[in-house]
Amino acid sequence: MLREQEMPLSGAAMSKALGISRSAIWKHITSLRREGYLIEAKPARGYRLVAVPQYPTQWEIQADLGTEQFGKNIYVLPQVDSTNVVAFRLALKGAQEGAVVFAESQTKGKGRLGRRWESPVGSNIYLSIILKPKIPPSKIPLITLMAAVACAEAVEEVAGLLPTIKWPNDLLIEGKKLGGILTEADMEMDVINFVVLGIGINCNMTRTSFPPSIKDTATSLQEVLGREISRLPLIQAILRHLEQWYTILVQGRGGEIRRRWKELSQIKGKGVAVTFMGAVIKGTALDIDDDGALLVQEAGGGVKRIVAGDVHVRG
Ligand code: BTN
């Protein structure tokens, strides 16, 4: 209500419109102020919103979000070990599909293959979303592919740059890593209980803030665009695109996801070297199969089906 109204809004008017007491209104105003909202209170006139916080709050993300389910429950936290760990715990306690955990920083951000994900405070997007797809566990890699497609499209919508995708889910700009996706699942033999989809996008990290280990291989939107970008519209666009592509996935239209992924990855026909647990497979990337595995044709003609690993595109 405060956002929509430029003139001061009286406590009495708000209490009437919302059907709650004036002391309840006061409590909400106090908690908004604690969150960083600057709200002016003038005796006999009412409350006026003067400024919103610099970081994305739950209310800012949810305002004009435009999704059905994704982000309807959202937990915004200043610091966590890993948003995936927090989301996993919430899911075990019965959190709904589409619940989101967003953090300003992570102390133990997790990357793929047991790596660490750099998660400095306030500059990037670290979010995890709980999904409960009714699909067989063998289709989980497809969730990762659909998330990469959704994130690439969200980046294009907000920043005007379309990242390419490196199998299975790295988002690259100018050949450097802009973001990544970590999919973790809780499942039994043939049933998925839930999936936690963790998304990290480097937004406002600057050259000097990249640690030496990723300095040559990582980038951020700020670095490419030459200006700071606001994380809020990007978070909202990610949730919207994710919901659209997830709907396509659960409707069994995996072919559309693979088609779009292939357009964005441009990997077909390229020479690749895939490393996994010390072994290297070299060959030509042929395709991805129905379950999202990468098919690589080796020099001898045999085709290897690859479900995990690091891809290096040659030449
Ligand atoms: C990768 O290695 O490419 C995957 C990186 C995934 C990072 C995100 S940040 C939010 C979520 N929480 C984590 O601990 N990891 C994922």
Side-chain angles (χ1 to χ4, degrees), residues 166-204:
K166 190 168 84 130
W167 187 86
N169 55 11
D170 287 358
L171 297 184
L172 304 184
I173 288 192
E174 294 168 0
K176 291 188 174 174
K177 186 150 166 171
L178 178 78
I181 293 156
L182 178 68
T183 312
E184 296 183 290
D186 182 83
M187 55 192 181
E188 282 147 47
M189 276 294 272
D190 45 13
V191 191
I192 300 174
N193 295 325
F194 60 82
V195 170
V196 169
L197 191 63
I199 296 168
I201 312 262
N202 297 337
C203 296
N204 292 314

Side-chain angles (χ1 to χ4, degrees), residues 244-263:
Q244 283 162 10
W245 280 104
Y246 182 65
T247 306
I248 290 175
L249 177 95
V250 292
Q251 286 173 348
R253 293 152 56 199
E256 289 170 47
I257 296 170
R258 287 191 299 132
R259 205 173 313 127
R260 184 69 177 129
W261 186 94
K262 278 192 262 185
E263 269 171 24

Side-chain angles (χ1 to χ4, degrees), residues 145-155 165 237-238 241-243 245 264:
L145 299 188
M146 82 83 195
V149 166
C151 290
E153 290 186 348
V155 169
I165 305 175
I238 289 173
H241 284 271
L242 267 182
E243 189 171 88
W245 280 104
L264 294 172

Side-chain angles (χ1 to χ4, degrees), residues 272 274 281-285 294-298 302-304 306:
V272 291
V274 189
I281 294 166
K282 287 185 184 159
T284 308
L294 181 66
L295 304 176
V296 175
Q297 181 159 45
E298 292 181 293
V303 176
K304 281 256 159 64
I306 294 164

